[in-house]
Amino acid sequence: MATKPRLPRGRQFFANPGPTNIPDSVLHAVAHVTVDFNDPAFIKVYEKCVAGLKRVLKTEQQIFMYTGSGHAAWEASLVNLFSPGDKIAIIETGHFSQNWAQMAEDLSLQVETIAADWRRGLDFATLRAALAADKTHSIKAVCAVHNETATGMVLPLQQVRAVMNEVGHPALLLSDTISSLGSIDFRMDEWGVDVAVGGSQKGLMLPTGMSFTGVSAKAMEAHQTSRLPKSYFSWTKMLSRPLKSFIGTTPTSLFYGLEESLRLLEEEGLDEVFARHSRLAEAVRRCVRHWSGNAGPQLFSTNPDRNSDTVTSILVPEGHDAEAVRRTALQTFNVSLGGGLGPLGGKVFRIGHLGDLNEPMILGTLSVVEMALKLNGVPHAPGGVAAAMEYLAEAARS
Ligand SMILES: *Cc1c(COP(=O)(O)O)cnc(C)c1O
C-alpha cells in the first residue's frame, strides 16, 4: 500500500459527478416538518417549484415527477411512449447510454445503437446515415445522453435535432439531461427535445430521490397510443391526480429543498452558473494537460469541442491503476472522486465539478489528486495545480 488510511477529519471534498454537494441552505430547507401534501400552503410551494423547474429546463410544456432516482425517469420516458417491439435508436456515448439501451431492451423495445468513438464522441454523419436509411420511419425515437457522465463528454443536442430535421425524420428526440441540467446550457423547447429526463442529485444540488421528465405536446400524442405496461409511471394516471404528477405521497421535504436550490440558481443567474462551471472545468483540464507531460495521465476526451463542463474523466497511463489513485485520495486525504464505469473501470478516475462548487474546492481536489499520483508512482509532470491556479486567477480579473 502506497499510503496509510487516516480517520476522516475536516470537511470531505466531494468531487464526484453525482450525487453532488448539497448547499447548507438546501440542507436546512429539506429539514422541514411533515406537511399534508394537499395543504394549500404546500401546493403553493409545489407550484412555485414546477414553474422554476420549467425555467431551468427552458420549457413551457408538461412536467411529470417521480419519487425515484434518474433511472425512474428513464423508465417513465420509455413506458409512456412506446409499445412492445417498437424500435428506438440510442446514440452511443458511454456507460450511461449503454444502460439506457439495456433498460429499453429489458422493457421489450428493439434498440438500434448509433455507434460512436467514446473518446471523440458521435460523428454526425453516422446519425444522418442511420436516419436516412430508415425509409419506413420504423425508428420511433432518438435517445441522446446530453452529458455522458462516464466519459466526461457532451453531445450537442442542437446538432442532433438539426440532423433529424435535415433528413426529415419524424422520430421523437429524448434526452437524458441528468448530469447537465442546471450546470450546462440546456433548452428543451428551442432545441426541439420531446422528452427531457432529469434528476435531483446533480446540478440541482438536492438529495437523491426525485426525478422528472419534461414532455412535449408531440410526445403526449405518442403517449396516447403507447401500449407498454405502466402504472406508477403512467402520465395518464398522473394527469388525473390533483397535482398532475406523482402517484402516491409527494416527497414534500424535497420540494422545500428544490424551492431553495432554484432560488440559489436564479439568484446567481443561470448564465453565471454555466460560466462558473465552464471556468472550474477549464481549470481542471489545464491541470490535467500539464500532468500529461512526462507520459502522465490524460484527458479521456480527445475532442476539445465536446469536453464536458461538469465532469472530467482522466485516463491513467497503461500499467497504472486509477482505483489506487482514487483510494489514496479518499482514505488518506478525504477527497471523494468518481471511479471508472463499465469498461473504463481501473483505467479512468473522474473529477466531478458540478453543483455547489468554487475555486478553493476544485484546487483542493486537484492538489490531492497530484499528491495521490505521486504517492502511487504514477508518472506525471508536477505543477498541474499551479497551472490551474494561474488560469483561475486570470479568470477572476475580468
Ligand atoms: C447519474 C446519471 C444517471 C442515473 O441517475 P440515477 O439518479 O443514479 O438513477 C443517468 N444518466 C446520467 C447521464 C447520469 O449522470
Side-chain angles (χ1 to χ4, degrees):
M1 177 164 316
T3 47
K4 200 166 121 233
R6 296 171 178 160
L7 283 174
R9 290 294 183 268
R11 184 166 272 225
Q12 180 175 72
F13 274 26
F14 198 79
N16 256 294
T20 67
N21 295 285
I22 304 175
D24 289 349
S25 67
V26 173
L27 278 177
H28 292 141
V30 167
H32 195 284
V33 294
T34 304
V35 295
D36 181 338
F37 56 91
N38 292 315
D39 188 301
F42 172 72
I43 290 177
K44 264 178 84 172
V45 171
Y46 176 86
E47 283 170 350
K48 189 175 158 196
C49 286
V50 172
L53 205 47
K54 286 187 182 183
R55 288 193 297 274
V56 175
L57 280 162
K58 298 187 177 153
T59 185
E60 290 178 357
Q61 307 187 73
Q62 192 85 38
I63 292 187
F64 296 105
M65 296 193 224
Y66 322 94
T67 308
S69 76
H71 279 74
W74 262 358
E75 183 153 338
S77 74
L78 299 173
V79 297
N80 276 293
L81 294 173
F82 308 116
S83 299
D86 273 356
K87 191 202 253 185
I88 62 173
I90 296 192
I91 297 171
E92 183 173 354
T93 50
H95 181 72
F96 286 97
S97 73
Q98 284 185 327
N99 281 3
W100 201 5
Q102 182 61 53
M103 179 184 272
E105 283 175 358
D106 292 346
L107 292 168
S108 79
L109 298 177
Q110 266 188 76
V111 175
E112 178 172 331
T113 300
I114 311 288
D117 180 324
W118 286 19
R119 297 191 68 185
R120 290 227 33 99
L122 175 71
D123 177 350
F124 283 95
T126 314
L127 176 64
R128 189 175 292 110
L131 293 178
D134 181 35
K135 303 265 184 258
T136 60
H137 296 161
S138 65
I139 296 172
K140 303 284 184 226
V142 173
C143 298
V145 175
H146 183 211
N147 187 76
E148 175 57 69
T149 324
T151 61
M153 296 184 72
V154 75
L155 175 61
L157 294 172
Q158 312 91 302
Q159 277 172 262
V160 174
R161 171 43 79 192
V163 167
M164 293 172 73
N165 290 351
E166 260 168 59
V167 176
H169 201 291
L172 296 167
L173 174 57
L174 274 53
S175 172
D176 170 332
T177 83
I178 298 180
S179 64
S180 53
L181 191 71
S183 314
I184 298 177
D185 196 16
F186 176 79
R187 302 168 184 234
M188 177 170 162
D189 291 356
E190 191 183 319
W191 295 350
V193 173
D194 292 296
V195 176
V197 175
S200 57
Q201 80 276 23
K202 298 193 183 175
L204 295 178
M205 308 172 286
L206 289 167
T208 309
M210 182 165 66
S211 54
F212 48 87
T213 44
V215 179
S216 74
K218 184 177 164 188
M220 281 311 289
E221 228 177 273
H223 169 65
Q224 304 311 325
T225 56
S226 136
R227 285 180 290 102
L228 274 178
K230 51 192 150 296
S231 176
Y232 183 68
F233 292 124
S234 164
W235 294 341
T236 298
K237 279 197 183 193
M238 287 187 177
L239 284 176
S240 71
R241 302 265 305 165
L243 300 180
K244 307 234 179 302
S245 204
F246 288 112
I247 309 275
T249 304
T250 307
T252 51
S253 314
L254 286 173
F255 278 89
Y256 290 105
L258 180 57
E259 183 184 30
E260 174 59 12
S261 73
L262 290 166
R263 192 194 67 76
L264 290 173
L265 287 173
E266 295 192 318
E267 179 187 54
E268 187 176 358
L270 278 180
D271 290 341
E272 278 303 311
V273 172
F274 302 152
R276 175 167 53 83
H277 281 79
S278 150
R279 185 167 76 237
L280 297 176
E282 181 59 22
V284 172
R285 292 190 288 264
R286 292 206 180 197
C287 180
V288 177
R289 285 200 199 98
H290 185 98
W291 289 335
S292 74
N294 193 23
Q298 294 178 10
L299 293 174
F300 183 77
S301 162
T302 57
N303 186 345
D305 293 337
R306 305 275 176 94
N307 289 334
S308 163
D309 282 342
T310 64
V311 50
T312 299
S313 291
I314 299 156
L315 184 65
V316 300
E318 225 20 84
H320 293 274
D321 181 11
E323 280 304 297
V325 174
R326 209 163 80 88
R327 231 174 4 253
T328 300
L330 182 65
Q331 296 181 349
T332 306
F333 301 112
N334 201 16
V335 168
S336 176
L337 303 169
L341 297 176
L344 304 183
K347 300 187 164 93
V348 151
F349 65 89
R350 294 171 302 145
I351 297 179
H353 31 79
L354 75 160
D356 189 39
L357 217 63
N358 61 13
E359 277 78 357
M361 291 159 89
I362 214 68
L363 288 171
T365 296
L366 293 173
S367 304
V368 159
V369 172
E370 193 163 323
M371 288 192 283
L373 293 173
K374 185 181 164 80
L375 288 164
N376 285 282
V378 180
H380 63 286
V385 181
M389 284 168 66
E390 191 163 332
Y391 170 76
L392 290 172
E394 203 50 48
R397 239 185 247 289
S398 37

